């Protein structure tokens, strides 16, 4: 394995940026617009932008699009959040994740330009990302919304090349509202007049909100399940979208990835002169990788503890829709399932666990290392028991794994570490 890069300098600056605003999240565009003006408006000097919002599947759709565009020879920039191991993952330039020296320079430049003004961590780091992207020659920028859409710091892009909205479900209710309609209003805020948009599978109330907003501003939309459809046939996907074409099954695991792949294909088809060739789309679907989304871990100390026929999996999903997707994956596999689970205290733990409950043989609850807002293991186990799952609090991931394999079965068995991207990041740092 390559040596771990020294990121201590940028880590110190990033920590100082956390102290520029009393809240971690405070949705507004005024602060980031002020800073971008001081920086010379780098957001107006970007390559064509594909802006992606939604609740579930944003990162997977971005991963498919990146793989398809790169297979076509395009220079692709990517902005995603949160990161798993290093902040540098969030800002991917056309030649890879941003280098430490470049990131440090950008962060310090943005901090000086901001002065002592109040600004959130995500806002100032998004401004830094735009500055990085403006200096890097590329063909396209895949821009993932941080939270919501309407007041998200990424929504300063006046005219993207394409908007994408993945499935919308209940999440972040403390910021976006406590009804599915109010959340949909926030997500639909990325739609722009005259800019085509591709909409993933939605419930009727959500779709009505999106269609109403699109009609108000004149944004042409294409809706999955109505304007384009994907059907699994043998070892491929029949995609019906202004014609029929067979595509391979996606490289990412889980039945839910079929819908994500179809949405990404529809987006790729609507990129005009940037649209990748059919062969590049096929290659991209198969070659796409997205860590901590039903990722099988194949090395590291935890993997080394497993009995011969067991496998270790990792997923960062943390809401009801993610729980349903994981349950469908586990049911299709037909193998005994054990969970090692940790979650942030801002999430609806029982909504996530309920779909998995009938399939889980055991659950070990852990705190997320280094996260002050983690559920403590006792509370996490209590939520699991409320769903009918036999659960035990554990002091560490190692202790949780040792308890899980205490009486190993000889048959193929799956262990899934789940509940939080922050937990997934700590696991990958040690078992990547």
């Amino acid at each position: 394995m390559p040596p771990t890069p020294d990121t201590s300098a940028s880590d110190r600056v990033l920590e100082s940026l956390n102290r520029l605003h009393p809240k971690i999240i405070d949705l507004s565009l005024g602060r980031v617009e002020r800073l971008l003006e001081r920086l010379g408006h780098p957001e107006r000097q970007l390559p064509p932008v594909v802006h992606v919002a939604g609740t579930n599947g944003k990162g997977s759709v971005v991963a498919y699009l990146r793989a398809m565009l790169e297979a076509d020879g395009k220079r692709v920039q990517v902005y995603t959040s949160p990161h798993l191991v290093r902040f540098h993952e969030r800002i991917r330039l056309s030649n890879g994740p941003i280098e430490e020296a470049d990131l440090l320079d950008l962060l310090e430049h943005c901090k000086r330009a901001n002065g002592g003004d109040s600004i959130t961590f995500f806002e100032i780091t998004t401004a830094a990302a735009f500055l990085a992207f403006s200096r890097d020659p590329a063909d396209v920028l895949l821009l993932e919304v941080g939270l919501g859409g309407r007041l998200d710091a990424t929504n300063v892009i006046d005219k993207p090349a394409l908007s994408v909205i993945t499935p919308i479900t209940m999440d972040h209710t403390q910021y976006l509202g406590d009804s599915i309609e109010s959340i949909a209003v926030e997500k639909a805020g990325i739609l722009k007049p005259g800019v085509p948009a591709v909409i993933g599978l939605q419930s009727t109330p959500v779709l009505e909100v999106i269609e109403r907003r699109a009609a108000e501003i004149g944004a042409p939309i294409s809706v999955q399940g109505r304007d384009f459809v994907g059907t699994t046939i043998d070892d491929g996907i029949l995609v019906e979208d202004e014609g029929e074409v067979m595509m391979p099954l996606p490289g990412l695991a889980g039945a839910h990835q079929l819908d994500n792949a179809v949405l990404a294909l529809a987006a790729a088809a609507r990129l005009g002169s940037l649209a990748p060739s059919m062969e590049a789309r096929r290659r991209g679907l198969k070659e796409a990788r997205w860590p901590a989304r039903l990722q099988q871990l194949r090395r590291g100390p935890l993997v080394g503890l497993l009995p011969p026929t067991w496998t270790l999996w990792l997923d960062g999903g943390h809401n009801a829709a993610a729980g349903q997707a994981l349950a469908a994956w586990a049911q299709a596999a037909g193998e005994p399932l054990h969970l090692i689970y940790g979650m942030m205290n801002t999430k609806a733990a029982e909504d996530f666990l309920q779909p998995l409950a009938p399939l889980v043989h055991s659950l070990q609850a852990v705190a997320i290392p280094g996260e002050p807002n983690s559920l403590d293991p006792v509370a996490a186990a209590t939520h699991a028991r409320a769903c009918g799952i036999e659960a035990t609090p554990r002091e560490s991931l190692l202790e949780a794994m040792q308890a899980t394999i205490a009486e190993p079965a000889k048959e193929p068995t799956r262990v899934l570490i789940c509940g939080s991207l922050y937990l997934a990041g700590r696991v990958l740092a040690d078992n990547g």
Side-chain angles (χ1 to χ4, degrees), residues 24-241:
I24 296 174
I25 297 171
D26 184 13
L27 297 178
S28 168
L29 294 180
R31 294 179 296 269
V32 71
E33 288 173 339
R34 179 194 65 219
L35 177 55
L36 289 169
E37 182 177 9
R38 294 177 186 176
L39 294 172
H41 286 294
E43 81 283 7
R44 300 176 185 174
Q45 304 161 43
L46 303 175
V49 171
V50 179
H51 201 188
V52 184
T55 306
N56 293 90
K58 296 191 300 293
S60 297
V61 168
V62 167
Y64 288 126
L65 283 171
R66 176 189 149 209
M68 288 188 277
L69 288 160
E70 288 184 340
D72 203 49
K74 301 292 193 301
R75 296 168 300 174
V76 184
Q77 301 167 338
V78 182
Y79 186 56
T80 56
S81 61
H83 59 278
L84 291 172
V85 180
R86 297 193 306 147
F87 179 90
H88 307 59
E89 301 164 28
R90 298 186 183 210
I91 304 174
R92 186 177 185 87
L93 302 176
S94 57
N95 61 348
I98 191 168
E99 297 287 345
E100 167 69 7
D102 294 330
L103 176 62
L104 182 61
D105 175 68
L106 286 162
L107 294 175
E108 291 180 333
H109 181 62
C110 289
K111 187 176 180 181
R112 288 192 300 270
N114 186 67
D117 290 336
S118 177
I119 191 166
T120 69
F121 178 86
F122 185 74
E123 289 164 352
I124 194 169
T125 54
T126 297
F130 285 150
L131 196 56
F133 294 138
S134 72
R135 298 173 176 178
D136 174 51
D139 298 302
V140 62
L141 165 59
L142 305 177
L143 182 65
E144 181 188 310
V145 165
L147 195 155
R150 182 175 65 93
L151 296 176
D152 185 78
T154 64
N155 204 29
V156 295
I157 305 301
D158 289 333
K159 198 170 181 64
L162 182 70
S163 304
V164 181
I165 301 180
T166 68
I168 295 172
T169 59
M170 296 293 288
D171 201 6
H172 299 295
T173 54
Q174 67 271 46
Y175 304 112
L176 303 180
D178 58 4
S179 72
I180 194 67
E181 290 86 357
S182 62
I183 293 173
V185 167
E186 296 300 317
K187 307 280 187 181
I190 72 162
L191 299 177
K192 300 295 189 301
V195 175
V198 182
I199 312 300
L201 294 171
Q202 309 291 353
S203 65
T204 298
V206 167
L207 186 56
E208 288 175 350
V209 170
I210 294 172
E211 290 180 320
R212 185 162 57 247
R213 178 59 180 166
E216 287 172 355
I217 65 172
I221 64 173
S222 301
V223 178
Q224 189 168 2
R226 183 184 73 193
D227 302 310
F228 60 93
V229 179
T231 307
T232 305
I233 298 179
D234 297 327
D235 293 327
I237 309 172
L238 175 63
V239 179
E240 300 173 70
D241 181 10

Side-chain angles (χ1 to χ4, degrees), residues 282-304:
R282 291 186 175 94
R283 282 182 53 199
L285 278 189
K286 291 188 293 185
E287 296 174 2
R289 297 293 180 266
W290 193 228
R293 279 74 175 181
L294 275 178
Q295 175 185 1
Q296 184 178 354
L297 300 182
R298 300 181 184 276
R299 65 185 183 196
L302 294 180
V303 176

